[in-house]
Amino acid sequence: MNNFDFHNPTKILFGKGRIEDLNDHIPVDAKVLIIYGGGSAERTGVLEQVRTALSGRTLVEFGGIEPNPRYATTLNAVKVIADNNITFLLAVGGGSVIDATKFIAMASLYAGDPWEILTAGTAKVTAAMPFGTVLTLPATGSEMNNGGVITNPEKIAKLPFRSPHCYPIFSVLDPELTYTLPARQIANGAADAFVHIIEQYLTYPSGAHVQDGFAESLLRTIIELGPKALETPEDYDIRASLMWTATLALNGLIGTGVPQDWASHMIGHEITALNDTDHARTLAVVLPSLLNDQRGHKHEKLLQYASNVWGITEGTDAVRIDAAIDATRAFFEQLGIKTRLSDYGIAAAEIELIVSALQEHGMTGLGEHKDITPTDVRRILEASL
């Protein structure tokens, strides 16, 4: 196991009715900007619950955060903060809203061009506005980590960021808030969390028995409960376990002291930037082909994955690895997620655009060994057609 530092300051308020506790976790003199996405937060009553919990406070609202949040939209929120002397941010939504809020929190206090935060890194970020979250879609784990992704369609760019200043102070996780989500979003959330775990687990052995055990348990939970969540959308216990699993998938715990991959994510980001395909669906396309392409590097962990996650123990190494990759693809398909580029309107001609975008954004050495080159990416995508 590698040396590591682990610190996660986010307080989790988990369970039914926890929005009622918001008032106890935001400074009494705060001027709060509530940041949310589309109309669903209003239609489902979540925003009204938040307003009720914070009644008597000074509240300003900013809606319209997109799936794959747009850079231009975040800058509009920064202006609202300045115009209204906002002192605290509250994200109400899923990963896109929370990612956007993190970037807004940094950009509001950043002295330079906010675009530098995405292109030059967050080293110059010295502070961010305090913020909390009310999670409505379990998927990204953004409610308990310090990273996010912002999209700039004008530049055909979807770029990640990470900063120690971007941990939420608290996050409200009420599984009942997920009951009204469309099946597509539940499926996407399960797939996204699944691949988050894979990126930290399916690399090469590092003697991290605890992290591996946690990861395998989380993967088995998603495999079991993801389809059930679609079948019985108001089963509290299933939704609660999925919500907590998605948070644990990317709160830093299983990634401590282990090599990490993230190539599927970096490639997937460029697919989304190209044609706005749902993030989780790009992962379901890329991951099976990437695992097959990198099976040499990942040989030992693929066999461990086959045995400990899928219960595949019979046959030669090659047979077991094939079966594990096939099972992974079949799981995504079971969730209703297609796993080929052609399913999303991407043909061979577009592959070069994706590869070129990766090169333009400096993504020329991906994976746990930093040796997945543009040539390798091209081959992986061709196998994903």
Side-chain angles (χ1 to χ4, degrees):
M1 192 188 312
N2 300 328
N3 293 358
F4 65 86
D5 293 343
F6 179 70
H7 172 69
N8 192 314
T10 302
K11 183 173 185 176
I12 297 296
L13 311 176
F14 191 98
K16 300 178 182 180
R18 297 308 301 273
I19 288 178
E20 297 174 5
D21 299 330
L22 277 175
N23 200 50
D24 299 331
H25 296 276
I26 297 175
V28 294
D29 59 347
K31 192 170 186 180
V32 182
L33 179 66
I34 300 172
I35 301 173
Y36 61 97
S40 62
E42 192 74 80
R43 289 193 304 272
T44 59
V46 176
L47 275 179
E48 189 55 38
Q49 290 184 55
V50 170
R51 295 182 190 117
T52 300
L54 298 177
S55 61
R57 290 173 174 269
T58 302
L59 305 178
V60 178
E61 298 183 7
F62 182 90
I65 300 294
E66 309 88 350
N68 304 307
R70 304 302 199 258
Y71 176 70
T73 304
T74 65
L75 295 188
N76 291 336
V78 170
K79 185 176 186 305
V80 170
I81 289 169
D83 291 345
N84 292 274
N85 298 313
I86 298 297
T87 61
F88 194 93
L89 310 181
L90 182 65
V92 179
S96 292
V97 172
I98 299 172
D99 282 8
T101 300
K102 290 175 178 178
F103 186 77
I104 292 163
M106 289 188 293
S108 297
L109 302 182
Y110 190 69
D113 181 354
W115 185 242
E116 296 173 353
I117 298 172
L118 298 172
T119 56
T122 58
K124 292 183 179 179
V125 173
T126 59
M129 289 190 65
F131 69 96
T133 88
V134 175
L135 180 68
T136 61
L137 172 58
T140 70
S142 193
E143 66 277 4
M144 199 181 180
N145 65 40
N146 64 350
V149 184
I150 297 295
T151 297
N152 188 331
E154 289 74 25
K155 296 181 180 294
I156 315 180
K158 182 175 180 179
L159 300 176
F161 64 85
R162 188 170 297 278
S163 170
H165 302 288
C166 283
Y167 283 103
I169 292 175
F170 65 83
S171 287
V172 173
L173 277 63
D174 181 347
E176 290 186 323
L177 299 183
T178 72
Y179 286 176
T180 58
L181 288 171
R184 182 187 185 96
Q185 292 187 349
I186 291 297
N188 282 352
D192 195 12
F194 186 93
V195 182
H196 286 162
I197 301 164
I198 290 290
E199 299 277 29
Q200 300 165 87
Y201 162 75
L202 221 169
T203 55
Y204 56 85
S206 59
H209 302 291
V210 173
Q211 293 90 319
D212 280 2
F214 282 163
E216 289 161 359
S217 178
L218 294 173
L219 289 168
R220 291 193 300 268
T221 299
I222 296 174
I223 291 166
E224 177 186 357
L225 298 185
K228 291 180 180 179
L230 298 173
E231 297 166 5
T232 55
E234 295 192 12
D235 187 312
Y236 180 83
D237 290 335
I238 289 174
R239 290 300 175 99
S241 291
L242 272 182
M243 179 171 264
W244 188 225
T245 297
T247 299
L248 292 172
L250 202 57
N251 73 344
L253 185 62
I254 66 170
T256 56
V258 300
Q260 300 185 27
D261 186 342
W262 299 105
S264 293
H265 270 72
M266 296 305 104
I267 299 169
H269 287 169
E270 301 300 351
I271 297 173
T272 295
L274 177 67
N275 72 353
D276 219 26
T277 297
D278 296 359
H279 170 63
R281 290 168 191 252
T282 70
L283 302 178
V285 167
V286 175
L287 179 66
S289 296
L290 184 140
L291 293 180
N292 188 56
D293 190 86
Q294 297 293 304
R295 61 195 294 152
H297 288 319
K298 298 179 181 289
H299 182 267
E300 291 183 67
K301 287 302 283 283
L302 276 166
L303 291 175
Q304 181 179 329
Y305 172 63
S307 174
N308 294 356
V309 175
W310 293 107
I312 299 167
T313 58
E314 301 294 327
T316 64
D317 288 3
V319 166
R320 284 180 282 156
I321 289 172
D322 284 343
I325 296 172
D326 289 345
T328 304
R329 187 184 297 277
F331 170 65
F332 295 141
E333 296 278 354
Q334 184 185 9
L335 293 174
I337 297 176
K338 298 298 184 182
T339 58
R340 295 291 180 182
L341 285 173
S342 55
D343 295 318
Y344 303 99
I346 296 177
E350 281 75 48
I351 288 177
E352 202 56 44
L353 296 176
I354 298 168
V355 174
S356 296
L358 280 168
Q359 291 175 299
E360 181 180 341
H361 298 139
M363 307 287 182
T364 56
L366 300 176
E368 61 267 31
H369 299 288
K370 307 300 180 189
D371 61 353
I372 297 178
T373 67
T375 298
D376 298 321
V377 171
R378 187 179 295 107
R379 185 176 63 247
I380 290 165
L381 291 173
E382 287 171 350
S384 302
L385 288 169

